[in-house]
Amino acid sequence: MITTIDPTTENVLERIPRMDAAQIDAKLAQAAHATREWGAATLQERAGVMRAIARRLRAESDVLAATAVREMGKPIVQARAEVEKCAWSLEYFAEHGAAMLDPQIAPSNAARSYVAFRPLGVLLAIMPWNFPYWQVFRAAAPALMAGNTMLLKHAANTTRCALEIERVVRDAGAPEGVFGTLLASGETIDELVADPRIAAVTLTGSERAGVAVARAAGEALKKCVLELGGSDPFVVLSDADLEAAAKTAVTARFQNNGESCIAAKRFIVEDAAYDDFLARFAERTREQVVGNPMEERVQIGPCARGDLRQTVHEQVSSTVESGARLVTGGKPVGIRGYFYEPTIVADVTPGMRMFDEEVFGPAAAVVRAEDREDALRLANASSFGLGSSVWTRDVAAAESFAARVEAGAVFVNGMVASDPRLPFGGVKKSGYGRELSTFGIHEFVNIQTVWIA
């Protein structure tokens, strides 16, 4: 039985039975059967279904957003924006997918030779709770457009969101089996990955989950894409527009209650700008409205679970005990629900938990850098390499700096964000493979050479 809990009230929302082995097998069979029809459909037919799903998402945006708020606590305004982003992504691949999948001429000694992009089959998507719609459609939009079908194993605490996605896809007119939800336990993952009807796997989640899925996929000789954790550096150089940087820093750290893999987590500031930036950042952080995420004015809701809030508090407390300075926040909010104060800890150094670990909640670590080279050293002093942000008025210098940053994305004078037009993914322990854009749609296809004498 799956029990979902509202993190705002700590009340039980639903108790939903898990699928038994026979039900899971039926879902697998249905998805495998659907690959033949869906893979044979024209690109125009697939695009039509994608657009229909986008329309359904927009039509039900309020209902879908409220479901996400109840299950994982994100502010309602941000939940609606998440649904809209999913619709946009579907429309983007509906419009541009045909060009991305168009056969490419590859001259050789043949009379004619080219590279074609064929569907792989059933894609198993193992997804987290923090963006319960976007994480799914970020993988699903390019994969479905390429002619694959998808089975979703979602996080247990966002089970209703998973079921809503399946319903929306069905109601939009997608053929039966093109998208399905598996209400399965984590213990079934190895068995699912090994099932011959599963062609490939995509996972967004923790480093530990990534290792487990990569091992299972390796043993089954199946392609997998892993989008794992991050401890993104937000580098502020001394010549930066500090007001713009501080304003963006608040959103970059506290959006989605700070529970985002690509959130800025380590704010590395050159010495000459350190005190000024910290004062601006702290002032704006104290202005953040914490409360019931169903209220339009609220900017920070509760952590998604009690254990997650406890982990954040332990990381903050340990870092302060190690010699860092608490600037604001630093404790659970004394009301019902898993709330935590928006927190800034300054003078953080390598070896402290908030520098070395991913902090998945509303707490920021501010780090002093002696100069630009030291800022680069500190930015790369992490086992993660998902995204990074660099702030300076010297764009040419920023591009040179970016070339040496060990991350899958570098944003200059802007906040790291995923965008269907750009590839998304990381290096080091942030995973491998790419989602979105042409690179993402080509991750889950058979790149087939055709040679004609």
Side-chain angles (χ1 to χ4, degrees):
M1 187 71 69
I2 299 170
T3 301
T4 57
I5 295 174
D6 185 338
T8 302
T9 64
E10 302 182 44
N11 294 331
V12 171
L13 290 169
E14 291 185 89
R15 290 186 173 87
I16 304 168
R18 295 190 190 275
M19 292 177 174
D20 59 27
Q23 291 171 313
I24 291 172
D25 185 72
K27 283 279 190 179
L28 285 162
Q30 188 178 58
H33 179 76
T35 58
R36 292 189 284 275
E37 177 186 352
W38 186 246
T42 67
L43 290 165
Q44 291 72 27
E45 288 170 336
R46 292 181 210 153
V49 172
M50 304 272 279
R51 292 189 177 97
I53 298 170
R55 288 193 296 271
R56 292 296 304 180
L57 286 171
R58 288 199 176 98
E60 300 192 40
S61 177
D62 287 344
V63 172
L64 295 169
T67 300
V69 174
R70 283 191 294 270
E71 287 198 317
M72 55 73 58
K74 72 168 62 215
I76 186 66
V77 173
Q78 296 175 27
R80 290 196 204 102
E82 180 180 344
V83 176
E84 170 57 32
K85 190 172 185 177
C86 295
W88 171 43
S89 184
L90 287 159
E91 290 173 340
Y92 175 81
F93 283 101
E95 181 178 352
H96 299 284
M100 296 174 180
L101 297 166
D102 197 39
Q104 297 178 4
I105 299 299
S108 70
N109 63 335
R112 185 161 63 100
S113 50
Y114 59 92
V115 177
F117 304 102
R118 318 292 194 195
L120 282 182
V122 183
L123 178 62
L124 175 64
I126 304 166
M127 293 294 149
W129 48 264
N130 58 326
F131 288 91
Y133 300 120
W134 173 238
Q135 305 282 22
V136 176
F137 282 104
R138 191 174 71 193
L144 295 181
M145 188 62 199
N148 300 297
T149 60
M150 178 175 281
L151 285 172
L152 169 65
K153 163 60 182 78
H154 218 325
N157 58 324
T158 48
T159 295
R160 180 51 57 185
C161 288
L163 293 170
E164 286 290 83
I165 295 170
E166 182 180 49
R167 179 188 61 77
V168 164
V169 173
R170 181 179 64 248
D171 290 352
E176 199 70 30
V178 164
F179 183 94
T181 289
L182 298 175
L183 302 184
S185 69
E187 287 72 33
T188 65
I189 295 297
D190 285 4
E191 186 178 347
L192 286 170
V193 173
D195 191 288
R197 291 165 290 191
I198 296 294
V201 188
T202 182
L203 173 136
T204 298
S206 67
E207 178 187 336
R208 182 169 59 86
V211 169
V213 167
R215 182 183 297 115
E219 290 175 351
L221 290 177
K222 293 180 182 178
K223 173 73 176 288
C224 69
V225 167
L226 304 177
E227 195 273 283
L228 308 178
S231 186
D232 285 9
F234 186 105
V235 178
V236 181
L237 301 179
S238 58
D239 66 340
D241 181 335
L242 298 184
E243 183 59 25
K247 180 179 179 181
T248 303
V250 172
T251 304
R253 173 64 285 217
F254 299 111
Q255 181 177 263
N256 206 56
N257 305 337
E259 296 171 319
S260 172
C261 54
I262 58 169
K265 298 185 174 89
R266 295 176 300 134
F267 294 82
I268 300 167
V269 187
E270 199 171 2
D271 183 62
Y274 187 88
D275 293 335
D276 192 353
F277 171 81
L278 180 59
R280 295 171 189 264
F281 186 24
E283 180 182 4
R284 289 186 173 275
T285 297
R286 293 186 185 103
E287 294 171 353
Q288 293 295 290
V289 179
V290 180
N292 184 343
M294 285 293 190
E295 296 179 16
E296 300 276 334
R297 67 186 185 89
V298 167
Q299 296 159 298
I300 300 179
C303 295
R305 300 194 311 262
D307 62 309
L308 298 170
R309 179 179 65 173
Q310 181 60 31
T311 297
V312 171
H313 186 55
E314 289 170 358
Q315 290 171 316
V316 169
S317 299
S318 172
T319 301
V320 173
E321 289 168 5
S322 298
R325 173 165 55 97
L326 182 65
V327 177
T328 189
K331 62 182 184 296
V333 177
I335 57 177
R336 188 173 177 83
Y338 306 131
F339 293 89
Y340 197 79
E341 293 179 336
T343 297
I344 295 177
V345 179
D347 304 337
V348 177
T349 59
M352 296 179 181
R353 287 188 65 182
M354 289 184 71
F355 189 99
D356 295 346
E357 300 175 8
E358 178 176 28
V359 180
F360 217 70
V366 184
V367 182
R368 188 188 299 268
E370 295 177 1
D371 51 30
R372 294 188 176 204
E373 283 301 310
D374 191 40
L376 178 66
R377 178 188 67 82
L378 290 164
N380 289 337
S382 173
S383 61
F384 298 106
L386 191 54
S388 61
S389 183
V390 182
W391 290 78
T392 174
R393 297 179 194 273
D394 188 341
V395 175
E399 290 186 81
S400 176
F401 190 96
R404 296 190 290 158
V405 173
E406 298 166 356
V410 181
F411 280 54
V412 177
N413 296 329
M415 186 181 88
V416 178
S418 53
D419 182 323
R421 298 165 294 189
L422 301 171
F424 180 79
V427 296
K428 301 196 281 191
K429 290 188 177 180
S430 289
Y432 49 75
R434 291 295 180 266
E435 296 177 308
L436 303 175
S437 80
T438 302
F439 294 93
I441 204 169
H442 288 169
E443 285 283 5
F444 293 114
V445 293
N446 172 15
I447 302 174
Q448 185 185 71
T449 296
V450 180
W451 188 98
I452 302 168

